[in-house]
Amino acid sequence: MTPRLNSKFYILKYDSAMKRLDRKFFARDTERVAKELLGKILCREENGVIYRGKIIETEAYTQDDPACHAFCGQTERNKSLFKHPGTLYVYFTYGMHFCANISTEREGYGSGVLLRALEPVENINKTNGPALLCKSMNITKALDGSDLTSPVSSIWLQYEDAKLINKKDIVATTRIGIKKAAELKRRFYIKDNRWVSKK
DNA sequence: TAAGTGATTAGC
DNA sequence: CTAATCACTTAT
């Protein structure tokens, strides 16, 4: 598979396909995926425009966790959390906001990582909160169920050779905006990053 | 600290 | 069916 230099379209498709994080990355322990997503680049293409942001804050949710949307089992709303790892779960809340998660572990088990904040990289600006980042990239319910690992998906994670964020630069603390299981330290962010959502 | 805003879900 | 809740944001 070699890109033809005279075909812009072909190069774009080739480039995108080769750079995407694959299913194996997501098919692991949810907390581990939440930590390793820090520093990765979330990409979204719409109408020929590519939006990019570096993930700098995440939260882990597993089916055995009372704060997880999947805790009471699968419903029409949360079904994407149960799909194969790397599936996007977008939900609508407070009558006006969308939030995005990525399913983890294995098919049939309801778990995922909430994307809470990005550091702008390309064509986005206000991204320091889970609903703000969705707004900045126009992530809506229409994308719920998307396979982030598919070479033709309009939303994906860019593969980066860069090293994982050093453990000493990852802060692990309590999650925001939940009442149940509020003591669990399943929120992770890159230390000293100015785009971390405010408490 | 409270309002805005409507889908989702649990409980009759 | 009804009512409470909600992994948020913005403006007081």
Side-chain angles (χ1 to χ4, degrees):
Chain A
M1 187 172 173
T2 308
R4 283 183 294 137
L5 295 178
N6 62 349
S7 170
K8 200 173 177 180
F9 176 75
Y10 192 89
I11 289 171
L12 176 66
K13 301 296 273 188
Y14 176 82
D15 197 46
S16 300
M18 296 309 286
K19 280 184 170 176
R20 295 175 188 220
L21 284 185
D22 63 14
R23 194 160 333 279
K24 281 186 199 161
F25 178 87
F26 303 103
R28 298 181 296 154
D29 173 78
T30 304
E31 283 194 28
R32 184 169 179 193
V33 175
K35 284 184 261 193
E36 293 193 14
L37 276 172
L38 297 176
K40 298 292 188 294
I41 309 294
L42 178 67
C43 309
R44 159 96 164 114
E45 185 277 330
E46 189 177 39
N47 300 324
V49 180
I50 292 187
Y51 305 89
R52 292 183 211 273
K54 183 166 87 174
I55 296 171
I56 61 92
E57 180 180 344
T58 59
E59 284 179 359
Y61 289 89
T62 53
Q63 197 170 348
D64 60 352
D65 166 12
C68 180
H69 285 182
F71 183 67
C72 297
Q74 186 173 331
T75 65
E76 180 60 28
R77 179 207 204 193
N78 67 22
K79 61 186 179 188
S80 295
L81 282 178
F82 293 80
K83 292 187 177 170
H84 55 195
T87 301
L88 190 70
Y89 164 48
V90 180
Y91 69 90
F92 183 67
T93 191
Y94 294 106
M96 57 188 109
H97 302 301
F98 294 101
C99 294
N101 300 245
I102 304 171
S103 74
T104 56
E105 312 231 0
R106 63 184 189 275
E107 190 169 4
Y109 182 73
S111 61
V113 174
L114 171 69
L115 304 180
R116 284 202 58 93
L118 306 174
E119 176 183 308
V121 172
E122 186 177 3
N123 291 327
I124 57 175
N125 49 35
K126 205 158 184 285
T127 51
N128 55 329
L132 289 173
L133 77 86
C134 284
K135 191 179 171 190
S136 76
M137 287 192 171
N138 195 25
I139 295 170
T140 68
K141 198 75 183 164
L143 291 181
D144 179 51
S146 299
D147 180 1
L148 298 180
T149 70
S150 161
V152 295
S153 173
S154 71
I155 181 164
W156 69 96
L157 281 147
Q158 185 175 315
Y159 176 78
E160 288 278 286
D161 269 335
K163 280 185 293 188
L164 295 173
I165 302 298
N166 196 307
K167 196 173 178 182
K168 70 173 170 51
D169 292 321
I170 297 178
V171 179
T173 184
T174 53
R175 295 170 293 184
I176 292 181
I178 57 169
K179 295 194 183 83
K180 292 169 281 188
E183 74 286 358
L184 299 178
K185 294 185 174 177
R186 292 186 176 170
R187 172 174 173 239
F188 308 100
Y189 61 85
I190 298 178
K191 189 179 174 185
D192 298 329
N193 189 289
R194 65 160 287 205
W195 293 95
V196 171
S197 66
K198 49 187 167 287
K199 182 109 177 171

